[in-house]
Amino acid sequence: MDSDSGSGGIFSRLSRIFTGRNSDQVEKAIIEASQEGELEAAEGSMLLNILRLDDMTVEDIMTPRADIQGVEAGSSVAEAIERILECGHSRMPVYQDNRDNIVGVVHAKDLLSASRHPDKTGQPVTEVMLQPFFVPETKDAMALLNEFKARKTHMAIILDEYGGTSGLITIEDVLEEIVGDIEDEHDAPKAVEILPLEDGSVRLSGRADLEDINSALRLNLESDEVDTIGGLLSHIAGRLPLTGESFTLEGMLFTVEKADRRRVYSVLVTKPG
């Protein structure tokens, strides 16, 4: 086998590219190496993503509290199994009263093991759950990846500065920032965040990224405070906007189609008049 092929090949090439360089120089070297064909495009993209992961916190990647799917602590093992089957996850948080009070994490394999014994299916899910792993919103994503590995755990509960549940993050979420989406046959299709409609208008998910919107609609929406269109409209209004409320930005009309007291779900973009 050629000594410069396979994984040994990429490591020898990386050694030549990175030796003696700081992070800015490394990023420039990766881009140049990709352009010159010394690195495959996919290799270069992954390496750049690893560098950028150093600048991310878990808050940038997490699943927000509103979207956490969990199991109530009062549920039985049988009910928890139904919930796992319904959601298709291999592990889920267990909460007491509300999602601000997460008391454990239950694994599908532990539920499956308990289900083999008829006398255990009626016992509380708290009997088979594990202790949750809590981290603050400000924790570095790369540091969390290393901690996931050290702890041999795959899920962490994110806490805000007041100790409330801010979100949830898995090792898969962090790895996807490096290699792109990892989907299996059980994953539900993701909702389209930027959807052109037949009448020329565009429907946006409240979580649609401003950079993606700018690219798709040739706009220049910017904010130092937020990254999503829902966040931008909330920032402009000084509160969560109401359903039907409109904002004119970059010569386009942004109308909130659906919102509640916690978040903006969808926004319709049209030309004024």
Side-chain angles (χ1 to χ4, degrees), residues 46-64:
M46 287 175 59
L47 292 169
L48 289 173
N49 288 341
I50 291 171
L51 285 178
R52 290 161 188 162
L53 196 64
D54 268 338
D55 297 324
M56 292 183 177
T57 64
V58 296
E59 186 180 13
D60 297 321
I61 307 172
M62 71 182 186
T63 297

Side-chain angles (χ1 to χ4, degrees), residues 65 68 70-74 93-104 134 157 163-166 261-262:
R65 177 186 180 280
I68 292 178
V71 179
E72 291 190 32
V94 179
Y95 62 90
Q96 183 80 50
D97 299 326
N98 60 65
R99 287 172 176 77
D100 267 335
N101 186 24
I102 291 177
V103 295
F134 295 107
I157 308 302
T165 300
S166 177
R261 60 186 180 85
R262 294 186 299 179

Side-chain angles (χ1 to χ4, degrees), residues 25-270:
Q25 291 172 327
V26 168
E27 182 170 352
K28 182 179 179 181
I30 292 171
I31 295 171
E32 291 175 350
S34 298
Q35 292 172 341
E36 294 170 2
E38 194 170 356
L39 286 176
E40 296 290 337
E43 295 172 347
S45 178
M46 287 175 59
L47 292 169
L48 289 173
N49 288 341
I50 291 171
L51 285 178
R52 290 161 188 162
L53 196 64
D54 268 338
D55 297 324
M56 292 183 177
T57 64
V58 296
E59 186 180 13
D60 297 321
I61 307 172
M62 71 182 186
T63 297
R65 177 186 180 280
D67 291 339
I68 292 178
Q69 295 174 318
V71 179
E72 291 190 32
S75 302
S76 66
V77 165
E79 290 169 334
I81 290 173
E82 288 299 317
R83 183 69 175 141
I84 284 275
L85 290 173
E86 176 187 335
C87 298
H89 299 310
S90 60
R91 53 183 60 79
M92 297 182 75
V94 179
Y95 62 90
Q96 183 80 50
D97 299 326
N98 60 65
R99 287 172 176 77
D100 267 335
N101 186 24
I102 291 177
V103 295
V105 174
V106 65
H107 289 221
K109 63 182 178 64
D110 294 330
L111 293 172
L112 182 62
S113 178
S115 71
R116 298 175 62 186
H117 306 279
D119 59 319
K120 291 186 177 181
T121 57
Q123 70 180 2
V125 69
T126 51
E127 294 293 322
V128 296
M129 73 182 187
L130 302 176
Q131 289 297 311
F133 170 36
F134 295 107
V135 299
E137 290 177 327
T138 53
K139 190 174 187 68
D140 292 338
M142 183 63 81
L144 178 63
L145 184 59
N146 291 328
E147 197 159 353
F148 273 145
K149 181 179 178 181
R151 287 174 170 265
K152 297 182 180 179
T153 188
H154 287 202
M155 176 184 288
I157 308 302
I158 315 302
L159 300 180
D160 61 25
E161 59 182 314
Y162 304 106
T165 300
S166 177
L168 174 153
I169 190 168
T170 67
I171 192 170
E172 181 178 297
D173 294 328
V174 183
L175 292 175
E176 283 184 339
E177 292 297 320
I178 299 173
V179 302
D181 288 346
I182 303 171
E183 297 184 357
D184 62 29
E185 63 273 22
H186 299 296
D187 284 340
K190 291 185 178 179
V192 176
E193 294 195 333
I194 302 175
L195 179 64
L197 304 178
E198 291 184 1
D199 62 2
S201 61
V202 178
R203 177 170 289 121
L204 306 176
S205 160
R207 288 194 193 151
D209 188 84
L210 295 179
E211 289 186 6
D212 294 338
I213 296 171
N214 288 338
S215 177
L217 305 185
R218 297 183 180 180
L219 300 177
N220 189 34
L221 303 174
E222 294 182 345
S223 174
D224 293 330
E225 307 293 334
V226 297
D227 298 316
T228 66
I229 186 61
L232 179 62
L233 298 185
S234 299
H235 182 64
I236 292 171
R239 54 173 170 74
L240 275 168
L242 305 174
T243 298
E245 196 166 355
S246 296
F247 303 80
T248 300
L249 306 173
E250 294 283 309
M252 302 295 286
L253 192 65
F254 289 73
T255 303
V256 178
E257 280 193 310
K258 183 181 179 183
D260 61 21
R261 60 186 180 85
R262 294 186 299 179
R263 59 180 283 203
V264 174
Y265 291 92
S266 65
V267 177
L268 190 67
V269 184
T270 58

